[in-house]
Amino acid sequence: MSSSPPQSYHLPLDLVSALTLLAEHEGSAKIIAGGQSIMLLLRQGFLSPETFVDISCIPELSEIATIGGVVHVGAAATYSSLESSPEIQPYSVLTDSLHVIADPQIRNLGTVGGALGHADPSLDIVPPLLCLDANVVLKSLDKTRIVSLSNFHQEYMTADLSKDELIHSVTFNNLTGPHGGAYEKASNVEGGWPTVGVAAQVVLDDTLSIISDVKIALAAVGDTAIRSPCIEKSLIGSVISMDSISKSSELVSQDIDPLDDLSGSAEYKSHLAGVLSKRALIKAINRAGGSL
Amino acid sequence: MRINFELNGKSVSAEVSPHQPLRDILRSQFDLTGVKVGCHSGRCGVCSVLLDDRVVKSCLLMAPKANGRSIATIEGLSTNGELHYVQQAFKDNFALQCGYCTPGFIMATVDYLSSSPSNPPLRDEIKSAIKGNVCRCTGYEKIISAVSSAIISSEN
Ligand SMILES: Cc1cc2nc3c(=O)[nH]c(=O)nc-3n(C[C@H](O)[C@H](O)[C@H](O)COP(=O)(O)OP(=O)(O)OC[C@H]3O[C@@H](n4cnc5c(N)ncnc54)[C@H](O)[C@@H]3O)c2cc1C
Ligand code: FES
Ligand code: FES
């Protein structure tokens, strides 16, 4: 440890200062938000950046606001601040997931931007955001890019982010019509990472008997978190019934590619994905006012 | 780099490097050994401290992050030799055996009590509040009783 090179740690107070630091140190600066993923990598010696740019003291990056029907979540907003934010409460697909991420200590420091930057396929917050069709807003000194979250993580542990960019915020539209969402997770230990996690978001028609739209997304079943087009196609436009929900939930195995690992075999995870999809759908439909 | 922060109510300063967890600074430079060492990876909770009144794991807190902030450890809870009511609740409920996990549980409980917990206490809510802390001795039941009784006594 004593042989590591001199390191500089910056705590900029505004966005332009942070972006300037990234531009000046292109390639050698590491963004720090809550540090909950980074600290382990530093300790294990996987990373040894010369420059750290800590973005947790920039007020603009921690804001959560709804403007013109769009919810904006600043990248450095902590999981805890989302849990207690009135703007987030209507989205039960998100609040369900926030409550089961790690524990209060990790949620007090861990941020949404840190999760998206880390790009682990097992992160619990990603499937709910995929269900909400979220966009990621990226900023560098000279430009702003908006990328849909489904394109932001294309490979294992990789985000579409260049060295001089930071994740500024995540945005999604207000939902209209009778809607409900849910997140279901199974893990080997209390507070642990998901063995599989499934988010469901449904919109019902005005009679509350037909599923007019549904989105399903999963964590820990492949290189990235992903949607399940097979379940979605089979349910959109259908009359709510336990039978169709059970049958379509089984289709999830066609969309996923889980690995055998310590948390379970691929076969087990495929089965689990079906069970959790069904549970999440039932909860989401009930929350939307449908009856099952 | 040099950081300045408030530690258990006093202004202090320390020389730190970014890859150092605050836990190691608290123990080696300030002799606050109530901040325990367990897993080094955020899994056991024995190193829990309050950062601006919210509980965090100090093994995962990069030391420079404490700059300009306030840190509270178990050593700062009692006043004039009198136990904080959460400490008292753990004592009254026999919520410890070896005691290694106790400072961490107490710091997690102090944060939970400041966020308006349900009263009458809810068992599941208490379990979620302390799920970042591991105890190898008690089987948790007495810890849950201690947290419940702290919630009830905080109302009075
Ligand atoms: C013990 C433990 C248990 C956990 N359990 C769970 C769990 O059950 N479920 C779960 O989903 N997660 C879990 N996590 C992971 C947790 O969700 C992440 O560690 C956390 O969200 C990362 O956020 P952070 O702000 O701490 O990121 P940091 O560690 O600060 O950063 C992570 C990465 O993102 C980059 N980054 C951060 N912010 C930005 C930004 N704005 N723009 C660009 N890049 C950025 C950093 O450079 C770094 O590469 C656990 C973590 C720990 C330590
Ligand atoms: S030593 Fe910090 S959580 Fe275990
Ligand atoms: S009392 Fe011994 S670990 Fe909890």
Side-chain angles (χ1 to χ4, degrees):
Chain A
M1 287 248 176
S2 53
S3 63
S4 43
Q7 295 166 315
S8 62
Y9 197 97
H10 302 269
L11 280 152
L13 300 176
D14 63 81
L15 185 60
V16 172
S17 309
L19 295 175
T20 306
L21 282 163
L22 291 181
E24 282 171 5
H25 296 272
E26 197 169 333
S28 67
K30 188 71 189 153
I31 299 172
I32 305 294
Q36 301 300 278
S37 289
I38 283 287
M39 192 66 207
L40 286 178
L41 301 177
L42 288 173
R43 175 183 289 278
Q44 292 162 344
F46 289 127
L47 272 182
S48 190
E50 281 164 31
T51 310
F52 296 85
V53 180
D54 186 324
I55 57 165
S56 63
C57 296
I58 302 173
E60 173 180 348
L61 292 184
S62 300
E63 279 169 13
I64 304 170
T66 307
I67 303 161
V70 180
V71 182
H72 299 253
V73 178
T78 61
Y79 292 132
S80 295
S81 68
L82 265 77
E83 267 184 292
S84 59
S85 162
E87 313 291 329
I88 301 300
Q89 301 316 305
Y91 305 95
S92 47
V93 69
L94 276 177
T95 54
D96 274 8
S97 140
L98 290 163
H99 296 325
V100 297
I101 294 170
D103 50 55
Q105 286 95 325
I106 307 284
R107 299 204 292 270
N108 280 338
L109 284 172
T111 66
V112 175
L116 298 184
H118 195 50
D120 190 304
S122 301
L123 288 157
D124 288 300
I125 199 73
V126 178
L129 289 170
L130 284 173
C131 284
L132 294 167
D133 270 335
N135 284 319
V136 186
V137 180
L138 305 163
K139 293 213 171 183
S140 60
L141 260 192
D142 51 11
K143 67 172 190 287
T144 298
R145 281 198 302 143
I146 298 178
V147 181
S148 92
L149 178 56
S150 50
N151 292 328
F152 188 61
H153 296 149
Q154 296 228 348
E155 289 168 52
Y156 179 67
M157 303 285 288
T158 315
D160 171 14
L161 194 64
S162 53
K163 297 269 185 202
D164 60 346
E165 272 180 331
L166 58 70
I167 304 170
H168 174 270
S169 49
V170 183
T171 64
F172 53 87
N173 291 338
N174 272 164
L175 298 169
T176 49
H179 61 83
Y183 183 69
E184 287 285 327
K185 161 181 180 175
S187 47
N188 290 350
V189 291
E190 183 68 16
W193 287 87
T195 305
V196 174
V198 184
Q201 182 67 46
V202 301
V203 183
L204 305 182
D205 76 337
D206 291 339
T207 67
L208 303 179
S209 58
I210 292 173
I211 299 175
S212 42
D213 195 17
V214 57
K215 298 198 173 72
I216 295 276
L218 298 96
V221 293
D223 285 350
T224 64
I226 43 154
R227 295 260 297 268
S228 170
C230 287
I231 299 190
E232 294 176 2
K233 275 188 209 134
S234 83
L235 284 178
I236 291 175
S238 71
V239 175
I240 297 172
S241 82
M242 197 56 100
D243 191 44
S244 66
I245 286 162
S246 301
K247 286 204 178 102
S248 64
S249 295
E250 283 167 19
L251 301 176
V252 75
S253 61
Q254 299 175 23
D255 290 322
I256 61 177
D257 187 17
L259 286 176
D260 289 319
D261 63 19
L262 286 178
S263 68
S265 67
E267 191 189 349
Y268 170 67
K269 290 186 202 174
S270 259
H271 175 73
L272 198 55
V275 172
L276 296 177
S277 296
K278 182 175 165 182
R279 282 189 203 156
L281 279 165
I282 293 173
K283 224 184 230 180
I285 289 169
N286 283 327
R287 285 174 172 171
S291 53
L292 265 169
Chain B
M1 70 181 282
R2 183 147 285 275
I3 59 167
N4 298 302
F5 61 108
E6 189 186 297
L7 178 57
N8 293 331
K10 293 200 188 80
S11 298
V12 298
S13 102
E15 194 57 38
V16 304
S17 69
H19 61 256
Q20 270 180 314
L22 189 72
R23 181 193 66 189
D24 297 359
I25 306 292
L26 295 175
R27 290 175 57 88
S28 65
Q29 297 191 30
F30 297 98
D31 210 21
L32 296 172
T33 51
V35 182
K36 298 293 179 205
V37 177
C39 65
H40 312 289
S41 57
R43 300 242 159 237
C44 73
V46 297
C47 64
S48 297
V49 301
L50 303 183
L51 168 69
D52 289 343
D53 298 327
R54 301 306 305 267
V55 69
V56 300
K57 291 174 177 168
S58 62
C59 69
L60 291 183
L61 183 64
M62 299 173 77
K65 281 184 166 291
N67 192 42
R69 318 278 295 267
S70 89
I71 300 289
T73 70
I74 189 77
E75 288 86 348
L77 280 191
S78 62
T79 32
N80 304 325
E82 204 172 298
L83 293 183
H84 184 277
Y85 72 96
V86 174
Q87 292 174 305
Q88 191 64 46
F90 272 66
K91 188 175 171 219
D92 294 345
N93 286 276
F94 305 99
L96 56 142
Q97 287 179 28
C98 78
Y100 200 78
C101 68
T102 312
F105 271 100
I106 289 178
M107 299 322 272
T109 305
V110 170
D111 178 349
Y112 172 49
L113 286 170
S114 69
S115 60
S116 22
S118 302
N119 193 358
L122 293 179
R123 190 182 162 83
D124 281 350
E125 196 183 277
I126 293 175
K127 282 170 72 178
S128 299
I130 57 172
K131 78 176 179 183
N133 296 72
V134 173
C135 175
R136 284 289 175 241
C137 305
T138 63
Y140 299 98
E141 285 305 321
K142 294 187 175 191
I143 294 176
I144 293 172
S145 306
V147 179
S148 295
S149 76
I151 293 173
I152 293 163
S153 66
S154 71
E155 282 287 290
N156 305 324

